[in-house]
Amino acid sequence: MSQLTDQQNSDDLRKYLDPKVLAKISRLDLQARLVVEGFMAGLHKSPFHGFSVEFASHREYAPGDDTRHIDWKVQAKTDRYYIKQYEEETNLKATFVLDASESMHYARDGGMSKYQYAASVTASLAFLLQQQQDAVGLAVFDDDLRAYIPPGAKANQLRRMIHEMDVVEPRRKTSLESICHILAEKIPRRGLVCLVSDLFADLDGVLRGLQHFRHYDHEVVVLHVMDADELTFPFQRNTMFRGLEETGRLLIEPRSLRQGYLEAVDAFCHAVKRTCISHRMDYKLISTADHLDAALLTFLAARAAAVRKAGAKR
Amino acid sequence: MPFIHPAIFWTGLAAVAVPILIHLLNRRRFRLRDWAAMQFIRQALRRHRRRLQIEQLILLALRCLIIALLAAALARFTGCGSLALLPSAEVGRTTIFVLDDSVSMGQKLGPTTAFDLATADLAEQLDLLPDGETVAIRRTSDRDDSPLFAMNFVTDRTSLVTKLQTLQPSDGRADLAAALGWAQQLLSDQSGAKRLVLLGDFRQVDLQSDRVGAVRQAVASLTDAEVDVIVMDYGRLAQANLTITSLKLVDRFVIASSEARVAVTVRNNGAETARDAPVRITLRLPADGDEQATIDLQLPVQTIASIEPGGSRRIEFDVTFARAGSAALTASLSADELAGDNTAHLDIQVREAIRVLLVDGRPNPAVPTDSEAFTFAAAIDPSGVARSGARVDVIAVDDVSAAVFEDYDVVALLDVAELPARSDAEGPTGYPQLDALVQYVRNGGGLVITTGQRVNLSFYNGPMFAGGNGLSPYRIGPPKGDPVARQSFVRLDAKRIDPVHPFLRFFQGERQVLTGFIRFFAFTPAEEFALPSDPAAGADTANAAGVSPPRVLARFTDQDASPAIAARSFGRGQVVMIYSTISPRWNDWADDQPNGIYVTPIQDLIRALARGQGRQTSPAIAAPMTYTPPKAFADAPAILKLPSFPASDLVMLGSANGDGGDAARLSYAGTHEAGIYILTLDLPDGRRHVALLARNIDPAEGELAPAGRDGLTVALDSNAFQYIQRTAGTSVGVVQTSKREEHWLWLMAALAVLVVAETFLAQRFGHHSAAEATDQGQGAHPQ
């Protein structure tokens, strides 16, 4: 009976995770809570964890903690679960690098724009990390760094991030490489850098910027957000495509060009993925048509599997 | 243009521009859409631009071709020669062959004849026809309800071809109008492609007849009905061809043992002068034996010295028929390019003698020479045994009621007071014998009226004159002169004798002076210029038809120049009235005069007035044949042998009285052969009566000058036909019709293939139109 009730609650929550529904929820914090609480119901542990090795104290076990860090001796004595805490107070310093260029403004059918979708993803993941007592930060950029909030674990950190994401409007061109170089210098300690972008920029430049993060031993996660139209090119009639970010105009018959377009998109995505993997970066292509929870769940599950695999090697 | 409706094709061809216009217009109609992933579009364009252009060109060409083919199909493409070879292009077609089998088609063309060549071509065309084609064949001589091959599929070509090989030209003319009307009616019930193949010689004379208007109208109707008309012309200009255009009896009748004058006219329808052309004359007579109905006698050959091309020569010759009865003459020429026009026939009814009835107004006198008829009868038949060719019967006026005028060729009323009247209590109500006499003259009999002392003026000026439309030409007055005293006399005015009428032919030329030997002591003055006293009462308008005004043949030398002899045509007969006696009672004409001054004109008079044999020539074929047998044979069954007998069967006509009609006549309408028809009537007692009746071809069949393509175009007022000039020794092969062999089946097949190809390629190239339900993005800004 209780299982049925949980399942019903889960379904009720999921119906709000449709991007079209989320688009109607203006407050990012509410979106993030909705998303995270939705998928966290079935998640056993957090795929994110700290890197400190020197023991400092114990703290009580919280859901999502890695069971490997449970101090079984203390449990035997006290019959309660405690986690070994190390010298570092914060487990993880995560910085979300959010693309706010004009190309992220594209949306279809009254749904979420790529920027809105990316902001929701960012807020959701930040909310998740904050729940794990991790430090989260935010960098919003277009051709310049529009906002930067260093990673922190304070209670209002998430609200600051959300505020910054709310006030930014995508208008300008992308200059991802230079932003990466700037941020790499601004984030001195190694941590997690999560780039959320459509990557519509010079791919080599993007990679050079991301490699800069890797140079400082940051773990890099690339969340490649693309609109469903950009992935399927469903247009029929003659269309004058007016390029965002001042990329000119083109009058074409979409039906005849679809195959070539899809090949180009596919080649691009494969190139990005291949490059990310080769440089030990996590890569996830997300369509704005995907339900947010599903998108995040698959990403987090894949990442958890990767973490387990890395732990086993250690 | 290979289209039935070229305008539709040109309009459709203009519509080929539609896909191009749509393409250009589509380039102007587009949606405006903000787009982020421009780099991929540019990348795809760079890689596929050339391919896209080629694909678009291919699709554009296909769509233009589809519209062009659709236009061709709607315009009913009739194709070119190579398309005609496609096997199923003519399925469902109807072909009608009209074969000219007129006499002129017998013209020699090298080793064969035009007709044989035409039948061979027809057989070849039948052999080449694809299965499933409906065919009808008609000769021009066929009737509408019995063509040579009625509309049907040809299931047994071998027997049909064999039948064609046995055909011969008919003796008739080519009635193209009738044949085309028949074809038009047949084709109007058919669907699909229709052809009419005309095989003939198409001579100029055929296209100048009064029937060419009907031919022109029929061809126009056929063309409007989209019938493909093919003309196969076998006509040739003849080099050597003589035609007998006429074989004619010059005399009005023929008397046994007397010479009869016959004329034959030959026309040179060839291009070369004919010299020393022999004309052979054959006399056919009924035979006495039972086995053979007739015998043929060859008469001396007549020779025509020369005839220029286009000219005619007439020769006359005498034929003496030994006995009375039916006879026939045949004139024939030597063989030339056209054999059918070298022969002509003439049937003749030979009389034993001219039968003359004299009604004597002064019968049975004490002295026979005092009768009014004595000298007249002696002049007509001096020997009394009809040796002169005339046999005379004399009756008293009192016996005229029993006379049957129709048994005589000439009737003479000699000083007859009046004919017997039919009376009742109130007086005379009519003159039945006068009515019979009027009918007799109307039917061709001859009537002589002489006056004298006994003539009843009221009768002659009343019913005989009939207000100017009776038998008597003029009203007459009381006699003038004293025939007893003979103190004064008048003569015939020699200068005012009619030069034309045969009666007074004797007094022409130097013999004019012989009129001075004749003295007329008394005469009955004719009131030449007097009007009827009571025109309203006296004029017999019912008799007016066929009555010509009287003509004065001779006048007396009295001061009034009174008519001495007058004549008038009355129906088919003639009346001659002499205003004096024919006996010596009032004149001395019949006295012992020298030089035949009396006998010769009387004999001429009888021959001029005697009933003719009806016609001097034999009619053309197809004219119905009627024959009135002798009364004794009215009940005898009649058997008719056609000219082609024994190749044709005997025709049983029954008896003349079989139909119960008043006129005991035999009739036969199937006279489609030229030649001599032999009618035989046998009585149970062994007596036989044979009559020979002739029919001739139309002499115009000898005029072989062909009209050719240009002549046909002018005559038909149309060039909407395919013309093939045929020559011997060549074959026609498949007749490639100039149009109307529609190929829409192939066009539609090609169209379907193109549509399928266009659909496939459009999908393959990504140009196929699909629903654009998903093409309504937020970023779209319709322009």
Side-chain angles (χ1 to χ4, degrees):
Chain A
M1 186 68 180
S2 63
Q3 285 181 344
L4 182 61
T5 305
D6 291 344
Q7 185 63 40
Q8 284 176 338
N9 290 337
S10 174
D11 291 342
D12 291 341
L13 285 170
R14 285 213 70 217
K15 69 182 180 185
Y16 297 110
L17 301 182
D18 188 301
K20 294 178 181 176
V21 177
L22 285 175
K24 298 173 183 175
I25 302 173
S26 58
R27 287 180 56 182
L28 267 178
D29 56 340
L30 291 180
Q31 288 183 12
R33 183 181 297 274
L34 198 60
V35 169
V36 172
E37 287 181 352
F39 73 78
M40 284 301 288
L43 196 63
H44 295 292
K45 58 185 179 182
S46 169
F48 299 105
H49 59 88
F51 296 96
S52 298
V53 293
E54 293 183 15
F55 176 77
S57 63
H58 287 91
R59 70 170 174 83
E60 200 166 7
Y61 174 76
D65 287 344
D66 191 340
T67 54
R68 288 180 302 177
H69 299 300
I70 295 176
D71 191 335
W72 298 107
K73 291 179 180 175
V74 174
Q75 190 272 341
K77 293 176 181 174
T78 63
D79 202 20
R80 299 179 68 174
Y81 295 103
Y82 283 92
I83 296 293
K84 290 180 180 176
Q85 284 194 313
Y86 297 87
E87 189 174 356
E88 287 291 333
E89 183 67 24
T90 304
N91 287 336
L92 179 65
K93 293 183 184 298
T95 303
F96 290 92
V97 182
L98 180 60
D99 187 353
S101 64
E102 191 179 6
S103 66
M104 293 291 284
H105 181 63
Y106 184 80
R108 71 189 293 263
D109 290 344
M112 300 174 78
S113 69
K114 287 191 287 185
Y115 178 76
Q116 290 171 324
Y117 197 95
S120 292
V121 168
T122 300
S124 299
L125 290 177
F127 178 75
L128 177 63
L129 289 172
Q130 197 174 43
Q131 287 293 99
Q132 296 177 176
Q133 310 301 322
D134 292 330
V136 291
L138 175 69
V140 181
F141 71 95
D142 41 35
D143 58 349
D144 196 2
L145 188 60
R146 301 284 298 279
Y148 176 67
I149 301 174
K154 295 179 180 176
N156 65 347
Q157 181 74 2
L158 185 58
R159 280 202 299 276
R160 287 180 61 200
M161 290 172 62
I162 288 173
H163 172 73
E164 289 298 334
M165 287 189 285
D166 275 341
V167 298
V168 169
E169 285 189 6
R171 277 179 188 167
R172 301 180 188 176
K173 296 176 68 175
T174 308
S175 185
L176 186 54
E177 181 183 2
S178 60
I179 297 301
C180 286
H181 290 313
I182 293 171
L183 285 176
E185 296 303 324
K186 283 198 171 201
I187 306 172
R189 295 176 58 188
R190 70 174 187 170
L192 175 68
V193 174
C194 181
L195 175 64
V196 187
S197 169
D198 58 9
L199 302 179
F200 288 170
D202 177 42
L203 186 57
D204 292 336
V206 172
L207 288 175
R208 280 194 297 272
L210 293 177
Q211 280 176 343
H212 199 166
F213 288 122
R214 292 295 297 155
H215 178 72
Y216 287 114
D217 265 351
H218 292 297
E219 184 180 5
V220 178
V221 174
V222 177
L223 296 180
H224 190 181
V225 178
M226 290 190 73
D227 192 272
D229 285 350
E230 294 169 340
L231 290 172
T232 58
F233 208 58
F235 313 114
Q236 299 288 333
R237 299 179 185 174
N238 280 0
T239 305
M240 172 74 81
F241 289 97
R242 183 168 58 192
L244 301 174
E245 300 186 24
E246 300 174 6
T247 48
R249 294 184 175 204
L250 279 176
L251 175 61
I252 64 164
E253 186 187 10
R255 289 169 299 180
S256 61
L257 203 64
R258 177 180 294 119
Q259 190 62 33
Y261 172 90
L262 294 180
E263 288 173 1
V265 170
D266 194 50
F268 174 76
C269 293
H270 273 88
V272 174
K273 183 177 182 179
R274 189 169 54 249
T275 305
C276 288
I277 290 173
S278 65
H279 290 84
R280 291 189 297 162
M281 303 175 197
D282 277 354
Y283 172 82
K284 173 63 177 174
L285 176 62
I286 300 174
S287 168
T288 57
D290 296 341
H291 285 206
L292 267 172
D293 61 336
L296 291 178
L297 189 60
T298 54
F299 168 65
L300 293 177
R303 180 170 175 81
V307 168
R308 276 199 302 273
K309 190 175 177 182
K313 284 183 179 176
R314 274 200 300 267
Chain B
M1 285 299 297
F3 300 99
I4 293 178
H5 305 298
I8 294 180
F9 174 73
W10 289 118
T11 305
L13 204 59
V16 168
V18 169
I20 302 171
L21 288 174
I22 290 175
H23 176 75
L24 295 176
L25 288 175
N26 276 345
R27 291 187 63 83
R28 296 175 58 85
R29 292 180 67 247
F30 55 82
R31 289 171 175 273
L32 186 62
R33 180 180 296 279
D34 290 333
W35 188 248
M38 291 294 282
Q39 63 189 86
F40 305 122
I41 295 178
R42 292 185 191 284
Q43 196 174 340
L45 275 177
R46 275 197 303 274
R47 293 185 60 183
H48 300 291
R49 184 183 298 278
R50 187 169 183 78
R51 178 180 64 83
L52 289 174
Q53 286 176 343
I54 293 173
E55 288 174 356
Q56 285 183 342
L57 282 176
I58 290 173
L59 288 177
L60 184 65
L62 278 175
R63 288 162 183 167
C64 292
L65 196 54
I66 285 171
I67 289 182
L69 281 179
L70 191 61
L74 291 175
R76 304 178 69 174
F77 180 58
T78 52
C80 51
S82 57
L83 279 177
L85 299 176
L86 293 174
S88 61
E90 300 176 357
V91 169
R93 190 175 63 179
T94 302
T95 299
I96 289 183
F97 295 95
V98 172
L99 175 62
D100 179 0
D101 65 340
S102 61
V103 176
S104 57
M105 284 293 283
Q107 182 182 8
K108 286 184 180 175
L109 297 180
T112 183
T113 66
F115 186 77
D116 291 341
L117 183 57
T119 52
D121 286 347
L122 179 50
E124 181 191 13
Q125 292 302 307
L126 286 174
D127 197 44
L128 291 172
L129 287 181
D131 293 334
E133 178 147 341
T134 313
V135 173
I137 305 172
R138 177 190 152 134
R139 293 171 295 185
T140 52
S141 63
D142 288 337
R143 293 188 310 177
D144 286 357
D145 56 353
S146 58
L148 183 66
F149 185 80
M151 180 72 77
N152 206 337
F153 301 110
V154 180
T155 54
D156 187 357
R157 299 184 192 210
T158 305
S159 63
L160 184 55
V161 169
T162 304
K163 187 177 180 182
L164 287 173
Q165 289 169 345
T166 61
L167 296 180
Q168 292 294 326
S170 70
D171 291 333
R173 290 194 64 175
D175 191 350
L176 269 180
L180 292 179
W182 169 83
Q184 183 185 349
Q185 188 172 4
L186 275 188
L187 289 173
S188 64
D189 299 332
Q190 302 296 318
S191 59
K194 292 173 266 192
R195 288 198 314 171
L196 173 64
V197 183
L198 303 174
L199 305 97
D201 52 8
F202 305 101
R203 300 172 304 141
Q204 292 176 2
V205 67
D206 285 331
L207 299 176
Q208 292 166 355
S209 69
D210 54 351
R211 297 280 284 162
V212 72
V215 174
R216 183 183 302 152
Q217 190 172 1
V219 169
S221 300
L222 288 165
T223 306
D224 291 344
E226 299 172 1
V227 176
D228 207 341
V229 179
I230 300 162
V231 173
M232 298 173 72
D233 189 357
Y234 301 85
R236 291 287 184 286
L237 194 64
Q239 291 300 309
N241 182 42
L242 295 179
T243 304
I244 297 181
T245 57
S246 170
L247 179 60
K248 184 177 182 182
L249 185 66
V250 177
D251 296 330
R252 295 176 54 247
F253 48 84
V254 179
I255 305 298
S257 302
S258 299
E259 287 184 342
R261 195 78 175 159
V262 177
V264 60
T265 305
V266 178
R267 174 182 164 88
N268 185 358
N269 285 314
E272 301 168 349
T273 301
R275 301 185 188 283
D276 298 327
V279 181
R280 295 174 184 82
I281 310 296
T282 304
L283 173 62
R284 176 169 292 188
L285 297 169
D288 293 333
D290 292 335
E291 296 299 324
Q292 193 171 357
T294 60
I295 57 171
D296 289 343
L297 300 173
Q298 294 295 331
L299 301 183
V301 175
Q302 307 292 321
T303 301
I304 300 176
S306 72
I307 316 177
E308 297 296 320
S312 294
R313 288 289 183 275
R314 171 184 165 121
I315 55 172
E316 294 187 1
F317 55 93
D318 295 324
V319 181
T320 301
F321 297 86
R323 62 185 182 188
S326 187
L329 283 173
T330 297
S332 58
L333 301 169
S334 299
D336 53 20
E337 285 189 27
L338 180 62
D341 64 345
N342 290 342
T343 307
H345 310 277
L346 173 65
D347 53 44
I348 300 169
Q349 294 302 311
V350 181
R351 300 176 192 173
E352 187 178 356
I354 301 172
R355 298 158 298 174
V356 181
L357 175 65
L358 305 184
V359 182
D360 196 338
R362 189 190 297 271
N364 305 319
V367 180
T369 55
D370 283 348
S371 74
E372 190 66 23
F374 181 81
T375 54
F376 193 51
I380 295 170
D381 182 15
S383 65
V385 290
R387 190 171 294 170
S388 66
R391 188 185 65 228
V392 179
D393 290 336
V394 181
I395 62 172
V397 67
D398 298 335
D399 300 329
V400 76
S401 298
V404 179
F405 298 129
E406 296 294 337
D407 291 342
Y408 296 92
D409 300 315
V410 178
V411 174
L413 303 180
L414 308 178
D415 193 15
V416 171
E418 61 181 21
L419 292 174
R422 183 174 55 232
S423 303
D424 57 14
E426 298 178 354
T429 58
Y431 298 89
Q433 285 306 99
L434 176 58
D435 295 340
L437 194 60
V438 167
Q439 194 59 41
Y440 157 78
V441 179
R442 281 191 181 281
N443 289 339
L447 176 64
V448 178
I449 304 171
T450 63
T451 60
Q453 193 64 43
R454 295 174 178 272
V455 166
N456 182 349
L457 292 181
S458 63
F459 175 74
Y460 277 80
N461 291 334
M464 279 288 277
F465 182 60
N469 293 321
L471 294 174
S472 177
Y474 299 118
R475 292 167 61 90
I476 55 176
K480 286 185 176 180
D482 183 358
V484 178
R486 297 203 172 193
Q487 295 297 316
S488 60
F489 56 86
V490 295
R491 301 182 190 276
L492 293 179
D493 187 346
K495 295 180 180 178
R496 303 185 70 175
I497 291 177
D498 186 278
V500 176
H501 200 280
F503 180 20
L504 300 177
R505 183 170 52 191
F506 181 81
F507 296 107
Q508 299 298 321
E510 295 177 348
R511 286 198 290 266
Q512 279 187 358
V513 297
L514 295 179
T515 57
F517 290 97
I518 306 169
R519 296 176 298 172
F520 291 87
F521 304 106
F523 63 93
T524 306
E527 299 174 2
E528 187 180 0
F529 304 106
L531 294 173
S533 57
D534 185 2
D540 187 350
T541 53
N543 288 335
V547 178
S548 68
R551 181 160 56 117
V552 177
L553 303 183
R555 296 181 182 275
F556 292 121
T557 54
D558 64 329
Q559 58 182 7
D560 296 327
S562 300
I565 303 169
R568 81 182 319 173
S569 295
F570 197 94
R572 288 190 283 124
Q574 285 192 76
V575 179
V576 170
M577 188 161 182
I578 302 170
Y579 294 96
S580 183
T581 62
I582 199 67
S583 66
R585 194 167 307 280
W586 279 10
N587 54 64
D588 60 358
W589 191 3
D591 284 350
D592 186 19
Q593 298 286 359
N595 305 318
I597 197 171
Y598 179 72
V599 173
T600 304
I602 293 301
Q603 297 241 345
D604 287 342
L605 172 64
I606 296 302
R607 286 185 175 273
L609 292 187
R611 187 202 308 264
Q613 75 162 27
R615 49 183 169 74
Q616 262 66 28
T617 59
S618 294
I621 64 164
M625 185 179 286
T626 58
Y627 181 72
T628 304
K631 289 178 181 175
F633 291 87
D635 293 321
I639 299 173
L640 186 66
K641 285 183 183 174
L642 303 184
S644 58
F645 183 84
S648 59
D649 295 331
L650 294 171
V651 180
M652 312 303 291
L653 296 182
S655 66
N657 279 339
D659 57 1
D662 294 336
R665 290 192 299 182
L666 295 165
S667 61
Y668 177 66
T671 55
H672 301 300
E673 298 177 13
I676 298 171
Y677 294 73
I678 303 171
L679 183 67
T680 306
L681 299 97
D682 287 312
L683 289 175
D685 59 5
R687 284 184 294 164
R688 163 174 287 186
H689 177 79
V690 177
L692 305 180
L693 302 164
R695 290 292 183 269
N696 287 314
I697 67 158
D698 185 340
E701 285 296 300
E703 299 176 30
L704 299 175
R709 182 201 296 267
D710 296 338
L712 271 170
T713 302
V714 171
L716 302 180
D717 194 22
S718 166
N719 60 358
F721 58 86
Q722 186 179 354
Y723 180 84
I724 301 172
Q725 176 68 59
R726 293 293 298 124
T727 54
T730 61
S731 65
V732 181
V734 176
V735 177
Q736 309 292 351
T737 51
S738 57
K739 58 177 185 176
R740 294 188 179 84
E741 285 184 7
E742 297 183 42
H743 301 286
W744 60 270
L745 269 178
W746 292 99
L747 282 180
M748 296 310 289
L751 204 57
V753 169
L754 284 180
V755 169
V756 170
E758 193 273 345
T759 305
F760 172 76
L761 290 177
Q763 287 185 338
R764 179 78 175 80
F765 297 160
H767 293 259
H768 184 262
S769 297
E772 299 202 10
T774 59
D775 194 10
Q776 301 296 331
Q778 193 176 30
H781 302 284
Q783 189 172 346

